[in-house]
Amino acid sequence: MSINRRTFNQLLLLSTAGTLMPSLGLKAAEDKPKQGGTLTFIVEPEPPTILALAHTAGGTQKVSPKITEGLLTYDFDLTPKPQLATEWSISDDGLSYTFKLRPNVKWHDGKPFSADDVAYSIELLKQVHPRGRGTFANVVKVETPDPLTAVIRLSKPAPYLLTALYAAESPIVPKHVYENVAVADVPLNKNGSAPVGTGPFVFKEWTRGSHIILERNADYWDAGKPYLDQIVIRFVPDGAARAAGFETGEFDIGGDNPIPLSDLERIKGLPNISVNSRGYETKGDQTQLIFNLDNEYLKDVRVRRAIAHAIDLDVILNTVWYGYGHISPTPISTFLSRYHDGSIKPYAYDLKAAEQLLDEAGYKRRADGTRFALRLTHNSYNEGFKRVIEYLKQNLTRIGIAATIDSYDFSTYIQKVYSERVFDVTAEYLGNQFDPTLGVQRIYWSKNFKLGLPFSNAAHYANPEVDRLLEAASVEIDEKKRRQEFNDFQRIIAEEVPVVNLIALENVTVFNKRVKNHTIGAEGVQANFAEVYIKDGEG
């Protein structure tokens, strides 16, 4: 949507003058935040890094914003609010974004925060962030006319840019930590495992396989905050153990369905526990089966369509995900209703049609009943993805495809799929985010195939027309034209099937009722938790 300077500044006035919406977990308006206490925050799986600069892993995005902040934060309706930027404006042609920065902010190592950090961070995000390559593709330069002003200059409009500047998506990192580091070495820099930020909490320790400890930043720019003394981030791989921990009060909060969905109804009934589904407005979660198109069998679209015919999406929704979601057979999630093309239907569950397509492709059953073999794997972010791939293996067997499953821990999974590419089909989970240019383009854009880049074009899919449509939509300020470009893109993907899109997942946050102010905007548990406090005597 295009926006002129007058309209934008009106929105800015409303966003900065108003108060935050009432937060979930706050029972009465007269409650006053209490200083002190330790919050136990469940994050699963353990992230490969705790800085969201070169990774978009769910665990990373939950931990990083507590330490390293963004220019903006957002209300539930995605209205921008100040964080490291206090004011902002957009030129009438949409090619310049000017940000006035918060004064007297210090990095955790005592160095002053300035516009140079913003300029450097945006350049890094453009090169190393899985979505940043698209988000900041049109950025020509970032000017710094003074230490507290950053001006982003674009070669073309970027209608999504203002909604991409929150900490979990576009963290601002300290230039002085990275300026002597080669870009190729940024993802492995020690700042990823012991970050220096401007946020309300300071990194203390990371005991791998167990926990991360964050401590209160006594010099935080928002005086009096954070309220908590400490956040202990726990990694508990077993879903039943996580559910038990919430039940006993050992754990305080977790997001993205932190307990098995099979236990959720029971946990909802506990007197000390509550559940909410707000705070996921920036995500648009979508599950997929991604084909490795470098595989000799999967290069044939008939084979890909055959596999699509071997999948019953009703079974996956109701058996694997316990009904928490929506069948979403297009690249753009049903949660992004503005751009989702509801006229596209999933491939019908039809094993006979699948067998016929495989025969036509020249892969008839051999004497042992098999046609060929495939290697299956799955994202380990949630137990559901393993169940999806087990279901797929069972049905592939029924159409003559022998399949083996390789299960990995999260870090190894990222390496195997996005660096080594030793897979044929993977059950994956890639958020659409709040705009298709940011969350969807990265999966199908040929220019986003890059070894070692997590959550990118794992299929190695390349179609010049798809590239053209995605690139055109990324700069189109006419909403009607942009919607048509995304519709045309969705139809091509439905025809060529580089990915079988499955279910748009519903997410919930589970929390002890004593935890207040944990969900005050669209970022939910990905926010910085500066407002969170613990009220004794509840939960």
Side-chain angles (χ1 to χ4, degrees):
M1 181 178 70
S2 62
I3 182 168
N4 62 35
R5 180 181 295 169
R6 175 183 294 177
T7 302
F8 183 80
N9 287 337
Q10 289 173 343
L11 289 173
L12 172 60
L13 180 62
L14 289 172
S15 69
T16 56
T19 59
L20 289 173
M21 293 180 67
S23 65
L24 297 169
L26 184 59
K27 290 185 68 174
E30 63 270 17
D31 282 348
K32 292 184 178 180
K34 178 181 178 294
Q35 195 78 45
T38 295
L39 180 81
T40 302
F41 181 25
I42 284 292
V43 170
E44 184 57 35
E46 182 173 8
T49 175
I50 53 177
L51 176 61
L53 176 63
H55 272 268
T56 56
T60 300
Q61 290 192 306
K62 292 183 184 71
V63 179
S64 183
K66 281 69 177 166
I67 308 165
T68 304
E69 297 179 297
L71 290 174
L72 302 174
T73 184
Y74 301 92
D75 215 333
F76 289 111
D77 61 0
L78 298 183
T79 299
K81 292 182 174 293
Q83 196 163 88
L84 289 176
T86 58
E87 302 176 32
W88 51 96
S89 61
I90 305 174
S91 63
D92 291 336
D93 61 7
L95 298 180
S96 295
Y97 288 64
T98 301
F99 295 90
K100 294 295 183 180
L101 305 179
R102 191 175 297 280
N104 304 315
V105 176
K106 292 184 178 181
W107 294 101
H108 295 159
D109 60 7
K111 301 288 179 64
F113 160 75
S114 75
D116 287 342
D117 298 307
V118 174
Y120 192 78
S121 296
I122 290 174
E123 183 58 34
L124 279 184
L125 288 162
K126 184 176 180 179
Q127 298 181 71
V128 304
H129 189 275
R131 287 189 287 267
R133 292 164 60 81
T135 303
F136 299 105
N138 300 334
V139 173
V140 176
K141 60 182 175 179
V142 181
E143 298 173 355
T144 56
D146 63 66
L148 294 179
T149 303
V151 183
I152 301 176
R153 303 289 189 189
L154 306 176
S155 58
K156 300 176 183 177
Y160 48 83
L161 185 61
L162 198 68
T163 45
L165 301 177
Y166 59 104
E169 181 69 17
S170 301
I172 302 302
V173 298
K175 178 181 178 180
H176 63 273
V177 169
Y178 285 99
E179 60 184 337
N180 295 319
V181 178
V183 170
D185 296 331
V186 165
L188 300 177
N189 186 269
K190 64 181 181 180
N191 198 56
S193 56
V196 173
T198 59
F201 296 94
V202 178
F203 173 81
K204 176 66 174 178
E205 71 176 47
W206 183 1
T207 299
R208 307 238 177 202
S210 175
H211 64 270
I212 292 170
I213 296 178
L214 309 180
E215 294 186 339
R216 184 177 189 271
N217 178 8
D219 295 322
Y220 188 48
W221 53 260
D222 196 352
K225 299 176 186 175
Y227 300 119
L228 297 168
D229 288 335
Q230 189 178 76
I231 299 177
V232 176
I233 298 158
R234 291 280 307 277
F235 311 123
V236 181
D238 182 70
R242 295 196 297 273
F246 279 105
E247 191 168 2
T248 62
E250 179 184 1
F251 307 144
D252 291 316
I253 190 169
D256 285 335
N257 303 329
I259 64 174
L261 293 175
S262 55
D263 282 340
L264 189 54
E265 289 303 314
R266 178 179 64 82
I267 294 296
K268 279 182 180 180
L270 298 175
N272 63 319
I273 297 297
S274 192
V275 171
N276 75 66
S277 58
R278 300 210 71 179
Y280 296 97
E281 288 79 4
T282 62
K283 297 191 69 175
D285 288 343
Q286 179 86 346
T287 64
Q288 305 102 349
L289 291 172
I290 298 177
F291 297 121
N292 183 344
L293 300 184
D294 295 329
N295 175 283
E296 61 175 305
Y297 306 114
L298 297 175
K299 287 178 180 178
D300 193 320
V301 68
R302 292 170 295 186
V303 173
R304 303 196 298 271
R305 290 174 184 164
I307 293 174
H309 276 302
I311 299 166
D312 188 333
L313 292 184
D314 286 312
V315 170
I316 291 180
L317 174 60
N318 295 310
T319 301
V320 174
W321 300 112
Y322 296 89
Y324 284 90
H326 311 277
I327 291 174
S328 187
T330 78
I332 298 178
S333 166
T334 54
F335 289 117
L336 272 68
S337 57
R338 182 170 54 171
Y339 299 117
H340 171 76
D341 187 345
S343 69
I344 296 174
K345 305 303 179 185
Y347 282 78
Y349 177 59
D350 189 336
L351 297 182
K352 289 185 178 179
E355 296 246 27
Q356 182 176 342
L357 283 166
L358 292 171
D359 286 345
E360 291 174 0
Y363 301 116
K364 296 183 180 295
R365 288 182 183 264
R366 297 174 295 206
D368 63 358
T370 66
R371 303 172 188 272
F372 53 82
L374 293 176
R375 301 165 298 177
L376 313 182
T377 190
H378 59 92
N379 190 323
S380 57
Y381 187 73
N382 184 296
E383 294 94 335
F385 300 104
K386 183 177 182 181
R387 295 196 297 272
V388 168
I389 216 69
E390 288 171 344
Y391 168 80
L392 178 63
K393 177 183 177 180
Q394 176 185 348
N395 279 18
L396 290 181
T397 300
R398 297 176 69 183
I399 60 174
I401 298 175
T404 56
I405 297 176
D406 296 320
S407 295
Y408 307 106
D409 64 79
F410 189 69
S411 295
T412 305
Y413 169 78
I414 297 297
Q415 180 72 18
K416 294 293 184 182
V417 171
Y418 293 98
S419 293
E420 299 176 15
R421 297 184 55 72
V422 287
F423 78 102
D424 297 320
V425 186
T426 183
E428 184 55 284
Y429 163 84
L430 293 169
N432 279 194
Q433 305 305 303
F434 42 83
D435 189 277
T437 294
L438 301 182
V440 179
Q441 176 171 315
R442 61 189 169 131
I443 309 169
Y444 304 93
W445 190 32
S446 68
K447 297 174 186 176
N448 208 40
F449 174 74
K450 183 178 180 182
L451 291 179
L453 185 65
F455 309 118
S456 54
N457 183 353
H460 199 180
Y461 176 64
N463 180 313
E465 178 61 9
V466 164
D467 286 351
R468 185 193 70 78
L469 288 167
L470 291 173
E471 290 167 7
S474 73
V475 299
E476 181 55 66
I477 59 176
D478 183 302
E479 185 66 15
K480 184 177 179 180
K481 290 181 180 178
R482 193 168 193 245
R483 188 180 297 114
Q484 185 60 54
E485 287 159 349
F486 281 133
N487 283 350
D488 292 345
F489 153 71
Q490 289 173 86
R491 283 193 283 271
I492 293 173
I493 298 303
E495 179 73 15
E496 297 195 341
V497 209
V499 169
V500 180
N501 285 282
L502 304 172
I503 306 298
L505 294 181
E506 293 180 0
N507 289 290
V508 299
T509 297
V510 178
F511 61 98
N512 191 297
K513 291 179 180 178
R514 72 191 191 111
V515 181
K516 307 299 181 182
N517 278 8
H518 57 78
T519 302
I520 59 174
E523 293 144 87
V525 295
Q526 291 185 354
N528 68 7
F529 278 12
E531 306 274 352
V532 172
Y533 70 97
I534 293 173
K535 186 178 180 183
D536 293 333
E538 294 194 34

